[in-house]
Amino acid sequence: MQSVDVLVRGRGAVGSSLALSLAAQGLSVGMTGASETPRADDVRTYALNAASVALLTELKIWDSLPADAISPVYDMVVSGDTGADQAAGRLSFSAWQQGLRELAVIVDAAALDAQLATALRFSPHVHNVADGTPTALTALCEGRESAARAALGVAFKPKPYGHRALAARLSADQPHQGVARQWFQPGGEVLALLPFEKPVPGASYGLVWSCAEARAEQLQAMPDADFERELNAATGAAAGELKLGSERSSWPLALARADAVSGAGWVLLGDAAHIVHPLAGQGLNLGLGDVAALARVLAQREAWRPLGDERLLRRYARERLAPTLAMGELTDVLQRLFAHSSPAVQGLRNRGLDALNQLTPVKRWLTQRALGL
């Protein structure tokens, strides 16, 4: 059986990006796992930061995406929840005020997956291989249910939130103007509208609505007209009248981190290493950050050091510890803070949003962290 330098398990966006990154270094890369045919009916959207866009541009993926698969975010408005005797807090971010071209870019998940699959087919250094192929390094990018991670004995104990994220495509009766909107609502609900170009150019959104499981199941089962009424009531016409433009899909939410992300001859990336709440839209950004870090560590290794050297892979683990841990803790604290039903806590968090909105240097620092800069 022919050997490869690196075996990548998992064919999602993280695994595919890693395979292309390592192939660009001239390494022989084998890919294994079930083939994933990109789904045209995938309703998910990704919010990508500047670092992720830079990586995909370097891999010659970004500029090959269809024009209607990407939509820049120029402004973001975050609203707190309202109480019987108080107004919601408000926090806004502007690319223009911070001297940036954009805060983020919303990407069609299906289009990105399709372009990555095309690039892999044309890469001479990437091969489909069978399990058991000899390799110096195995990269596990199989997602949160990674069987290979479990076989290594790595502990990965998700802490369920008891919530689900519901996704769909929406159309609006007014232009989105590149504005992303997010509402923190009672009970820990988080509703996000991400500006998008389909189904209506310039007037569409990707929806991510995180809420308690019973509530999510109820929303999922509602007739379209009833769901639209709930949605428009929740958004208060801030984005105009919204209508469904796709089916709805949902998935459970949890917080988790593997107790080890590297060892002799193996490494974990993406959701196989960590999962976070989607309220900050940083899940794929963290995974692509893993890709960039591992590719850099391997490219800068000493000539005598093998790819699977345990000390070498610890460099990757150390580099990724702080950003992944910080994002997991931040999203967890925010979710639990807004899930608290106490009127005193509700008032405090809304006043906190208002106060933060006046602190331009702090907002700039938060933006830089979110952009991966």
Side-chain angles (χ1 to χ4, degrees):
M1 183 179 294
Q2 186 177 3
S3 65
V4 293
D5 295 319
V6 181
L7 177 65
V8 176
R9 296 185 62 94
R11 299 174 183 268
V14 171
S16 297
S17 298
L18 178 64
L20 291 170
S21 296
L22 300 185
Q25 298 181 22
L27 296 173
S28 173
V29 181
M31 296 194 75
T32 186
S35 296
E36 296 184 5
T37 303
R39 294 173 46 195
D41 62 344
D42 191 343
V43 300
R44 294 173 303 150
T45 50
Y46 297 132
L48 297 186
N49 63 20
S52 294
V53 171
L55 173 64
L56 294 171
T57 300
E58 182 181 346
L59 297 177
K60 298 184 170 48
I61 297 297
W62 190 253
D63 293 334
S64 299
L65 288 168
D68 65 355
I70 57 177
S71 183
V73 176
Y74 300 120
D75 298 276
M76 182 170 183
V77 180
V78 180
S79 301
D81 49 357
T82 56
D85 58 352
Q86 58 190 344
R90 180 183 172 95
L91 176 63
S92 62
F93 296 89
S94 166
W96 177 79
Q97 289 180 346
Q98 301 197 41
L100 299 169
R101 184 174 64 181
E102 63 226 0
L103 295 175
V105 183
I106 309 305
V107 183
D108 184 333
L112 177 60
D113 289 345
Q115 192 57 44
L116 286 167
T118 298
L120 288 170
R121 286 197 298 271
F122 288 97
S123 175
H125 295 294
V126 179
H127 315 279
N128 292 320
V129 298
D131 285 336
T133 298
T135 183
L137 172 63
T138 299
L140 305 182
C141 311
E142 298 173 303
R144 65 179 67 190
E145 303 297 335
S146 173
R149 180 193 60 217
L152 287 169
V154 176
F156 188 81
K157 298 178 180 178
K159 181 169 65 174
Y161 285 111
H163 283 209
R164 296 182 70 85
L166 187 148
R169 300 282 174 83
L170 309 172
S171 62
D173 66 353
Q174 59 184 250
H176 59 59
Q177 298 182 318
V179 179
R181 302 179 185 275
Q182 187 172 50
W183 291 262
F184 287 93
Q185 300 176 319
E189 286 194 16
V190 185
L191 193 160
L193 297 180
L194 308 175
F196 203 56
E197 304 308 306
K198 293 186 288 188
V200 180
S204 298
Y205 291 95
L207 168 69
V208 182
W209 195 348
S210 305
C211 47
E213 290 181 355
R215 164 79 164 156
E217 292 172 0
Q218 180 187 43
L219 290 170
Q220 178 88 20
M222 280 182 181
D224 289 358
D226 293 344
F227 178 83
E228 289 167 356
R229 276 194 294 272
E230 288 280 337
L231 176 63
N232 283 293
T235 58
E241 184 178 356
L242 302 168
K243 291 187 175 297
L244 278 168
S246 73
E247 299 296 322
R248 287 156 272 174
S249 65
S250 69
W251 59 94
L253 301 181
L255 174 71
R257 178 175 173 80
D259 68 351
V261 298
S262 69
W266 61 269
V267 67
L268 305 180
L269 297 90
D271 285 358
H274 42 71
I275 51 176
V276 300
H277 195 284
L279 64 87
Q282 293 296 309
L284 182 56
N285 289 319
L286 288 176
L288 294 179
D290 294 346
V291 170
L294 181 59
R296 183 168 55 253
V297 165
L298 296 184
Q300 295 174 353
R301 75 188 186 281
E302 299 85 351
W304 53 267
R305 195 180 291 276
L307 290 167
D309 182 84
E310 189 168 6
R311 291 188 178 182
L312 172 69
L313 299 177
R314 282 182 196 154
R315 298 174 190 172
Y316 158 78
R318 286 194 297 269
E319 181 174 338
R320 296 306 294 158
L321 176 62
T324 55
L325 186 60
M327 186 56 66
E329 292 297 323
L330 174 62
T331 55
D332 186 55
V333 167
L334 286 174
Q335 195 279 333
R336 295 187 183 282
L337 175 64
F338 279 89
H340 205 293
S341 60
S342 166
V345 174
Q346 184 183 47
L348 179 63
R349 65 198 178 210
N350 282 315
R351 289 194 295 273
L353 285 178
D354 289 333
L356 181 57
N357 200 41
Q358 306 304 315
L359 300 176
T360 301
V362 177
K363 287 166 64 176
R364 183 174 294 113
W365 183 86
L366 288 171
T367 303
Q368 294 293 315
R369 301 288 80 72
L371 289 172
L373 301 177

